[in-house]
Amino acid sequence: MTPPLQPAVSLCIPTFRRPDGLRKLLSHLALLDYKGPLSIIVIDNDGEGRAGEAVVQEIAPGFRFPIVCLVEPRRGHTYAYNTGFAAACRTPSTDYVAVLDDDEYPSPGWLTEMIAAAVQYRVDIVGGPVFPVFDDPTHWLARGQLYAPQRYPTGPVAMIYGAGNMLIRRATLDHYLDEPFSHAFAFTGGSDLDFFKRCARDGRSFAWADHAEVFETTPRSRMTVSWVLLRAFRIGSDNTRTDRAVADRPRDAVVRWVKGAGLFTYGVALAPFALLRGRCAMIASLKVAARGVGRLAAEFNVLYEEYR
C-alpha cells in the first residue's frame, strides 16, 4: 500500500549576523524525520556582510533539502519575514509555511508533530514550545523558571503568541501578503503578536503541538536582570500596541490603562513576599511590574527598540 502523501512545507529562516547559529540550525534540519517535501528559504537581513548567504552557498550543494538564500537589504526583522513569506507562497505546491529563527534548532520530530497537529485539528496556524538552552546553565537566573516557555496541551487553542515555532497554512497566509508582519514593529518585536491577533479577529483557527520541540540558544548577554526586565517591558508595550490596533475607543483605552496599572501595582506589591522565596521569585514579580510599565509607556509611544 502506498503511504499517504505528506503536505509540502516551505520553511522560512530569517537571519542577521549569526552565521554560527544558522549553521547549527541547518545541521539539525538535516536530521528531521519528516517524510514529506520540505524546501528551505533563508532570508539574510544584512545586505552588506551577507554572512548568512555565505553559509547557504557553502552547504547547499550537499544539503538534504532544497535550500535558497534571499538577501533583504531593508533592515528590520519584519522585512526579512515578509520577504520569506512571499517567496514561500510562490513556491510551487507549498501547502504550509513554517518559521524558525537563526538562534534556534528543532528536535528531529518537530515538523512531523507540527504537521500532525495541523492536519488532525484542521487549523490554519500551529505553534509549539521553544525551550531555552543556556550558555551558562549554572547561572542563578537559569535555575529558576524565568525563561520557561508558555505551554498548552496538544490541541486547539484560542491563539498563539509567538512566531519562533510556527506553522501556517499557505492558503491562509496568502490573504495577508500585503504586509503580514507590520513594519511598525520592525525594531521593537511584537509583529508576530499583532499578526496573530489579526488572524484571530478574522476567525482563523489555531492549535498547539506540545511535542514539536524547538530549542533556543540563550547566550550570557541575555542572562542579566536588565535583559529580563527590558524584555518584560517590551512585551507589555507589544500588548498595548496590538490591543490599540484592533480597539481604540475611549473605553478600550480605559481598559488598557487599568491593565497596565494593575500589573505594575500587583508586581510591586508581590515583590517583598517574593524576596522571601529567593532571587528568582523576586525577579519574577518585577517582571510583572515591568510589563505593566511597558503597557503604560506604550500609551505615550515610549518604546524599547530591542532589535535596532
Side-chain angles (χ1 to χ4, degrees):
M1 179 181 295
T2 303
L5 294 176
Q6 293 291 313
V9 179
S10 289
L11 170 60
C12 296
I13 305 172
T15 187
F16 180 74
R17 298 178 182 175
R18 284 179 178 154
D20 293 338
L22 177 61
R23 188 176 283 106
K24 181 177 182 178
L25 166 56
L26 295 176
S27 70
H28 281 79
L29 291 177
L31 303 176
L32 290 177
D33 63 11
Y34 187 61
K35 304 302 183 185
L38 171 63
S39 58
I40 298 170
I41 302 169
V42 176
I43 311 94
D44 193 336
N45 199 208
D46 182 9
E48 298 175 356
R50 301 192 177 195
E53 182 183 48
V55 170
V56 172
Q57 290 175 346
E58 174 191 330
I59 67 99
F63 199 60
R64 176 184 169 191
F65 302 108
I67 182 170
V68 297
C69 182
L70 308 176
V71 176
E72 173 48 77
R74 294 171 294 178
R75 286 284 302 277
H77 70 281
T78 57
Y79 293 101
Y81 276 116
N82 291 353
T83 295
F85 290 152
C89 288
R90 292 194 302 266
T91 302
S93 304
T94 292
D95 300 302
Y96 291 91
V97 178
V99 172
L100 290 174
D101 291 334
D102 63 358
D103 57 352
E104 298 176 336
Y105 56 93
S107 63
W110 162 71
L111 189 55
T112 299
E113 294 287 346
M114 294 289 274
I115 288 293
V119 172
Q120 179 178 353
Y121 301 108
R122 299 182 181 181
V123 295
D124 297 300
I125 302 169
V126 179
V130 180
F131 299 97
V133 178
F134 299 103
D135 279 357
D136 182 6
T138 64
H139 194 283
W140 67 271
L141 283 170
R143 296 198 297 268
Q145 293 297 309
L146 293 169
Y147 298 81
Q150 193 169 24
R151 300 178 67 180
Y152 310 92
T154 296
V157 292
M159 199 178 82
I160 67 171
Y161 297 89
N165 181 2
M166 181 192 84
L167 180 80
I168 183 169
R169 196 190 304 272
R170 197 279 302 274
T172 299
L173 184 56
D174 273 336
H175 290 282
Y176 299 90
L177 285 183
D178 54 336
E179 192 175 309
F181 280 16
S182 170
H183 299 315
F185 298 87
F187 296 107
T188 60
S191 58
D192 47 359
L193 177 63
D194 172 72
F195 175 67
F196 295 137
K197 285 187 174 181
R198 281 186 281 136
C199 288
R201 182 189 61 193
D202 294 343
R204 308 300 180 186
S205 54
F206 298 81
W208 184 259
D210 200 50
H211 298 294
E213 297 179 341
V214 168
F215 304 91
E216 180 182 33
T217 300
T218 305
R220 289 177 176 84
S221 61
R222 293 188 176 188
M223 299 181 67
T224 66
V225 171
S226 61
W227 186 91
V228 170
L229 296 183
L230 281 170
R231 174 58 68 94
F233 176 94
R234 198 264 288 172
I235 290 171
S237 299
D238 293 345
N239 276 279
T240 283
R241 297 172 72 200
T242 54
D243 286 348
R244 190 167 54 199
V246 298
D248 200 22
R249 296 168 297 180
R251 67 180 181 182
D252 299 318
V254 171
V255 171
R256 293 196 307 270
W257 276 90
V258 168
K259 286 181 178 178
L263 285 168
F264 173 73
T265 302
Y266 179 74
V268 170
L270 193 64
F273 303 99
L275 187 58
L276 299 174
R277 296 186 286 115
R279 290 180 293 180
C280 284
M282 176 68 174
I283 301 305
S285 66
L286 293 180
K287 277 180 63 179
V288 175
R291 275 181 26 228
V293 174
R295 271 189 167 274
L296 297 174
E299 297 290 353
F300 301 98
N301 292 318
V302 176
L303 307 174
Y304 170 48
E305 293 189 324
E306 183 175 355
Y307 303 104
R308 172 64 68 178

